[in-house]
Every structure is written in structure tokens, then in C-alpha cells.
Amino acid sequence: MSTRVDVEEIRTTPSERLLAAVLVVFLLIGGIWVYGKLDDAARSTTPPEYSYRGTPAEQAAVARLNAAQARLTRADSTVAATRNELELRREAYRTALEAHRPEAARLGRRYDRTQTAFANTRQRDAAARAAVLAARPAAARAQRHIDEVQAGRTHDRELLAFGLRLLFVLATMAFAYWLLAYLRRRGSRYFAVAVAFVAYAAILAFVLAGDYLTDYFDPLDLGPLVLSLIGIVLTLVAFAAVQRYLARRIPHRRVRKGECPFCGYPVRGDHCEGCGRDVMAPCAQCEQPRRVGASFCGACGAV
């Protein structure tokens, strides 16, 4: 006599359900840690000089603009300082003239020299401003190209990280569904473990979808959609497999319990009192009456 128990007949205890939930929690802790580390793995595959600084000509154009802006800043500071000095010496010279003091002539010469210095600083400021205007178009083109290349490289790294994460989630889902089917076929008492793995894989898929739906839309916006479609297909396939399994196993189980293989009503004769269908039929080998759904004929032993 076989002691094998069908999966549908197994009743999990509250302790088993609790342990399965705890297993899901710990699987998520490890899975999310691996999920985050995959971005570091994608980053480590990039060369050390990943930050693009442009061609020598582009670097020179940007450097010229930076140098011109630095000269302009110094020139503006010099103009402001010279203007303040000019105003102070002008007031000192005007006061000395109005008071008819003897140092008025000396203060007037100092004022003239400061005016000359102020004019020179304004010329240097104008030259620095013109140098900035001249260097800005080439530097802007160079910087725009540098930013585009850098953005492309950053996008490549993000796409690699997304691909690694997608493969990780798909592998997790595939293993979870395989484990579910394997333990179901064996009728194992560890079936709750497979259910925990399926729940973990589904939650991990939601994490991936939520991550990239909120951060990426072009071209990575198709990633969560693809993952969703794959998950839906795998779930429907598993559901169909479960239905086929039940259709094959339930009639045999009902027959062993003395029930109608079609509706499950207790059988007391050749016809079911629940659905009215015949529950006895001739054996294909010996023509003796045989229960519909029985694994073997009771008269000749034929399958």
C-alpha cells in the first residue's frame, strides 16, 4: 500500500505558514541586497577613466574660457577697487581746493594718476570681457559634446545594471516556479517552501518594476513591461499546469474515497445520485464492469 499523499490533501499547519512567511522575509533581505550590489558590479566593469573629459581641443577650449573668466573676475575686482580709490582722492582733492590748503596741488596730481590708472583698468576689464565672449562659443560646443558623451556612458552603465537586475529577477522567478512544480510532483511536505520562493520572486519583481518605473522611461521603460508580461505568462502556465494536474489526479482520488469521479458525490450504485452519470463501464480488455476513473481493472488488472 502506498503512503504517498497528494499535494491537494496536505493541510499546512499555522507553524508551517509562519515559517514560510519568515522565509520570505529573509529571502527578501538577501535578494534586495544582491539587487543593490548589482549596480556596483555594473560600475566596476567600467574603465577607471570612465569620466569623459573631452578631446585635447575640447579641453583647451574649456580651459581658455575658464582662464578668460578668471581674468575677467580679477579685472572687475581691480576696477571696483580703483573706482573706490578714485572717489576717495577726488573728495580729498576737492576738500583741499575749497579750503585753499597748500597740499591741494599734490592731491591733484595724485587724483590725476588715479584717473589714469582707472582708465587703464577699465580697458583691461573690457579686453577680458571680450576674451570671454570670444572663447564662450567654442567652449559651449565642447562642453555640450562632453556632456553628451558622459551622459551616454552613464546611460550605458545604468542599462548594464538594469540588465543584470532583470536577469537576476528572471532567474529567481524561473527557479521559484521550477521548485513549485518539482515539489508538487513529489507531493513533498516542503511545498510551502516553494510557495515562499514564488512569493519572494513576485515581490522582487515588483521592486524592480517600481524602481525603474519611477526612474527610467527611455529606453528602459519597456523593462518593467517585459518583466510584467513574462511574470503573467509564467503564472498562467503554472496555473494551467496545476489545472491539468488536478484533472488527472482528482478522479483517482475520488474513486479511492468511494465518490463519483465527476462530481465527488458518494457512490451507492452504478449511477451517481449527484450528477446522474454512469460510474461503471466495461473494461476495454475483459469487458467486466469497471469503476470509471479507477487506475486498474479489478477483474483483469489492466491499466
Side-chain angles (χ1 to χ4, degrees):
M1 180 178 179
S2 174
T3 59
R4 179 187 176 107
V5 180
D6 288 337
V7 172
E8 287 74 20
E9 296 175 342
I10 296 176
R11 295 293 182 266
T12 57
T13 65
S15 298
E16 290 174 320
R17 289 193 291 269
L18 175 62
L19 290 176
V22 172
L23 179 60
V24 171
V25 172
F26 284 110
L27 286 173
L28 283 174
I29 292 174
I32 293 176
W33 181 85
V34 174
Y35 179 88
K37 288 296 182 180
L38 288 176
D39 183 67
D40 296 337
R43 194 186 308 274
S44 65
T45 60
T46 58
E49 61 277 6
Y50 196 72
S51 180
Y52 181 70
R53 300 182 182 278
T55 63
E58 292 172 341
Q59 294 180 24
V62 175
R64 282 195 297 270
L65 178 61
N66 292 336
Q69 289 177 335
R71 288 194 300 270
L72 179 59
T73 300
R74 291 193 299 269
D76 288 340
S77 299
T78 304
V79 168
T82 307
R83 180 183 291 110
N84 292 336
E85 185 179 2
L86 179 64
E87 291 176 354
L88 291 175
R89 293 188 175 181
R90 182 182 59 196
E91 289 300 320
Y93 177 54
R94 184 177 62 82
T95 302
L97 283 178
E98 292 176 351
H100 303 287
R101 291 202 297 252
E103 66 270 17
R106 180 174 57 83
L107 293 176
R109 290 190 297 272
R110 289 180 59 186
Y111 175 65
D112 293 337
R113 287 195 300 270
T114 304
Q115 277 189 315
T116 303
F118 180 66
N120 293 335
T121 56
R122 293 192 62 182
Q123 290 178 355
R124 287 193 294 271
D125 182 77
R129 198 173 301 278
V132 169
L133 294 176
R136 185 169 291 163
R141 289 192 300 268
Q143 190 62 49
R144 185 165 53 250
H145 180 258
I146 292 172
D147 292 342
E148 290 174 354
V149 174
Q150 182 63 28
R153 291 191 174 186
T154 302
H155 182 270
D156 292 342
R157 181 183 61 78
E158 292 174 348
L159 189 60
L160 176 60
F162 169 76
L164 292 175
R165 288 171 170 175
L166 181 62
L167 288 177
F168 171 64
V169 173
L170 291 178
T172 302
M173 293 178 63
F175 173 77
Y177 282 111
W178 171 83
L179 184 64
L180 181 72
Y182 176 74
L183 295 181
R184 177 179 291 280
R185 286 196 307 269
R186 294 190 54 135
S188 174
R189 288 289 308 182
Y190 289 92
F191 185 72
V193 174
V195 175
F197 267 94
V198 171
Y200 154 67
I203 295 174
L204 198 61
F206 276 115
V207 170
L208 177 66
D211 188 7
Y212 284 91
L213 278 176
T214 55
D215 292 341
Y216 305 105
F217 294 94
D218 184 24
L220 302 181
D221 55 340
L222 295 180
L225 177 61
V226 172
L227 179 62
S228 172
L229 293 177
I230 292 175
I232 291 172
V233 170
L234 289 177
T235 303
L236 292 178
V237 169
F239 186 81
V242 169
Q243 295 304 313
R244 291 184 60 182
Y245 173 82
L246 293 177
R248 185 174 65 254
R249 299 291 298 178
I250 286 178
H252 297 288
R253 189 172 71 246
R254 288 175 174 174
V255 169
R256 289 200 304 269
K257 293 180 178 180
E259 300 173 346
C260 173
F262 303 106
C263 68
Y265 194 85
V267 174
R268 297 182 177 87
D270 294 341
H271 301 278
C272 175
E273 297 176 351
C275 63
R277 302 178 70 173
D278 293 334
V279 295
M280 300 293 294
C283 175
Q285 297 292 332
C286 65
E287 299 295 332
Q288 293 297 317
R290 174 178 175 174
R291 285 285 305 274
V292 175
S295 301
F296 301 93
C297 176
C300 66
V303 178

